[in-house]
Amino acid sequence: MRSSIIDVAEKAGVSIATVSRVLNGSDKVKAKTREKILAVINEMKYAPNPAARGLIMKKTEAIGLLLPDLHGEFFSEVIRGADEVVQQHGYHIIVSSSHNDPKEIEAALRFMRGRVDAIVLMSPQVNAEILLENLPKSLPIVLLNCRTDNKHFDTIVIDGYGGAREMTNYLLDLGHRRIAVITGGETNLESEERLRGYRAAMSERNVAPSRLLEFQGNFTEISGYETAREILKLKNHPTAIFAFNDSMAIGAIKAIREEGLRIPSDISICGFDDIPVARYISPSLTSVHVPISDLGAMAVNRVFDRLTKRSKDSTAHVFVPTKLCLRSSCKKINTISNLDKEEHVA
Amino acid sequence: MRSSIIDVAEKAGVSIATVSRVLNGSDKVKAKTREKILAVINEMKYAPNPAARGLIMKKTEAIGLLLPDLHGEFFSEVIRGADEVVQQHGYHIIVSSSHNDPKEIEAALRFMRGRVDAIVLMSPQVNAEILLENLPKSLPIVLLNCRTDNKHFDTIVIDGYGGAREMTNYLLDLGHRRIAVITGGETNLESEERLRGYRAAMSERNVAPSRLLEFQGNFTEISGYETAREILKLKNHPTAIFAFNDSMAIGAIKAIREEGLRIPSDISICGFDDIPVARYISPSLTSVHVPISDLGAMAVNRVFDRLTKRSKDSTAHVFVPTKLCLRSSCKKINTISNLDKEEHVA
DNA sequence: ACGCTAAATGTAAAGGTTTACATTTTTGTA
DNA sequence: TACAAAAATGTAAACCTTTACATTTAGCGT
């Protein structure tokens, strides 16, 4: 049986209003009274009921964070970045994963409604705009890598186009021409942006981008593995594989190894995201650096900007640049032997 | 301005009780009335206020998960395992990290009180028992790798002793004698258990365990890196390093590489936990396998056992076994050259 | 048509807080 | 000492739901 503010008031010989006042530190209460009440609170181990408080205050001190998945280091870093900022404000995080399923997104959103003061939503695959319409307009929402042109929401999006373009250019500079990509889900915004960047770079350098070199994964390690196996079955396999995230690159590396090929001497491979372990895998993975934990931190910071009315009405739209991060999984192509091979094929 | 159950009742021409009844599906309501109400709810996009509901129901449909940290794949896997189970029950997770700081644990616990239906606490370093005393007795609590002998809580603990012992034996079998360890935090239960296992194995095999081979890290990658640098400064450095978790092993690998040493030919290294990336780093990391995501899942399953009264009163105490996972970061010692070295020293 | 029972619906209290407004106590001043 | 003003404290409404209990309506047999 939990004790309520009434019990405290009785025991301290004051009214509940006074107790409430010392609880909220706001109004002026005589020092002696305050001490007395504090003592009683301590003694009874009283803690205010958040539901009752939330009911009247319409504040929860929690932020909802809805991610597409919880596998791997990427999302863990986003959570970490978000949690760090949130903790500075005395807030907390409610996480959920949607598995890119509209039903699950809806369920999570419904759950969060009324339970959080703001929502950070990452949904690159499922267009969640319709689902967001049921939420009260007063609830700040930050969209992370979501497909939207709705100016009503704050948005943060990674420059997938630029990053992929730069990476593709780098591979072209190394002499690669048959560059395969492993994409993410079909309707996935991140994947589409990266694909756009890849195709742009290929075209610009007059290497006709072939659909036959575009293989569909789904951003999971296992899909990287399986797709790479497909790719290696081609009789004249590509000289480089560009996986659209590091997890798939890691899966691909496994497949390549199993095929007895060496990286990067037989085939080059690179990823996207630059998750922390990228530098430690073998060989260290060339990737497109994304400030992952900053993503979470930025989103939450934006939330608090809104919450503190500093920027109540105006929405912000942040475009996060990426940076090439060169390691040892890609290598200049051996032009001679490559020409050799090409002749064989021709 | 959010609409309440009263608005719905008015618009549907019924009382709030009837609306509440269709909302909770429990009582019998005439089919026609139900339809009418459902239509209005849909039209108004009404959603019940969780605070009001929580106030009267004393149920939140949320589980608190308090972890020591959010860095790295270990915790991310715990969260994933927990989230999976929790989602099956239509529940959600509130995560928080304590950074092994009693103040932060207390803050998180205070926040969770009244906001969650149960708490899963992982606190191997800080003894949180005192902090748990302020919580209502009715709140189910599952302790993950916590130091406690309080039979009132459910507990799940990993067999750190057995795992470390087995790993040490394996290294001894490979011919290693000077085996250094990188431990976790000083008062960390996991670290202590693993240390106990290491020492036991050494003693049993008549290799006097020397305190000079026990180096203190803190389970972070950077501490693994720095500690390994220390170790390599020894003029007759150990032939094997056993890091008490994989993150530190990864940090150590970096330090070893920088020193120009090859793994495992110059020095063997192994970790603990077997986080998913362990198999992908270079060289693939020999480690003690822990069913990480199962840990989160088990804890949450236990919570629901309690919540559904299936095992209301009796607490469960689970001991999770580990399994050696051999990969390529450890190698049989070259006995000749090793004896050589030993003679040099002697 | 009547009365009885069962089904459907309504009424009102309870849950624990905050806070505007009302009241009491304290303080300072003449 | 008495009075006004300021400070401290108290009262009660509001927040939104669920549910025990009360009331109305419907269904049935005679």
Side-chain angles (χ1 to χ4, degrees), chain A residues 11-262:
Chain A
K11 196 151 190 172
V14 296
S15 76
I16 57 169
T18 308
V19 177
S20 177
R21 279 190 272 260
V22 345
L23 244 27
N24 298 306
S26 59
D27 263 287
K28 19 191 115 186
V29 177
K30 197 156 67 174
K32 205 170 151 192
T33 318
R34 162 173 288 115
E35 276 169 37
K36 171 74 180 163
I37 293 175
L38 251 21
V40 173
I41 286 177
N42 240 330
E43 184 193 342
M44 304 181 73
K45 295 184 190 313
Y46 164 75
N49 180 324
R53 190 174 237 168
L55 181 57
I56 197 162
M57 302 272 267
K58 296 164 186 330
K59 254 186 106 212
T60 63
E61 301 183 307
I63 303 285
L65 177 56
L66 181 48
L67 301 172
D69 200 291
L70 290 175
H71 267 102
E73 243 186 331
F74 185 90
F75 301 109
S76 127
E77 283 292 288
V78 174
I79 296 175
R80 191 174 61 79
D83 188 62
E84 231 159 61
V85 177
V86 130
Q87 231 169 78
Q88 288 165 15
H89 293 257
Y91 268 58
H92 290 259
I93 283 191
I94 298 183
V95 254
S96 215
S97 62
S98 70
H99 308 104
N100 291 313
D101 176 350
K103 289 257 171 273
E104 290 189 31
I105 296 180
E106 202 193 339
L109 253 25
R110 193 175 31 238
F111 178 88
M112 286 176 179
R113 171 172 182 173
R115 282 186 172 88
V116 298
D117 294 339
I119 289 179
V120 175
L121 170 63
M122 182 160 179
S123 179
Q125 189 139 338
V126 177
N127 187 329
E129 258 181 87
I130 325 100
L131 305 172
L132 293 170
E133 280 174 11
N134 291 353
L135 296 165
K137 291 281 163 284
S138 54
L139 187 68
I141 295 177
V142 177
L143 265 25
L144 222 53
N145 272 9
C146 286
R147 186 190 311 279
T148 182
D149 41 11
N150 188 329
K151 293 297 177 190
H152 174 251
F153 302 121
D154 286 295
T155 61
I156 298 178
V157 336
I158 300 171
D159 182 15
Y161 170 81
R165 189 159 159 270
E166 205 177 345
M167 178 64 88
T168 309
N169 268 317
Y170 164 70
L171 291 172
L172 289 166
D173 288 344
L174 290 180
H176 296 280
R177 287 301 173 268
R178 287 195 316 290
I179 302 170
V181 294
I182 307 180
T183 70
E186 195 158 9
T187 63
N188 194 297
L189 175 67
E190 292 172 344
S191 175
E192 286 179 6
E193 283 301 290
R194 291 166 197 191
L195 187 57
R196 223 162 49 77
Y198 158 77
R199 286 178 182 165
M202 295 292 265
S203 299
E204 284 162 18
R205 302 279 287 262
N206 298 312
V207 182
S210 157
R211 297 298 144 112
L212 295 175
L213 288 174
E214 298 172 1
F215 295 81
Q216 188 179 325
N218 65 5
F219 282 145
T220 64
E221 190 185 297
I222 183 76
S223 79
Y225 173 78
E226 285 166 356
T227 310
R229 283 173 60 104
E230 288 295 312
I231 293 173
L232 296 176
K233 273 192 203 141
L234 298 176
K235 58 171 170 273
N236 184 26
H237 70 69
T239 60
I241 298 178
F242 178 12
F244 280 1
N245 79 354
D246 291 349
S247 287
M248 295 196 296
I250 286 173
I253 287 174
K254 187 177 172 201
I256 293 169
R257 284 262 168 68
E258 286 183 7
E259 207 62 25
L261 267 47
R262 284 159 309 159

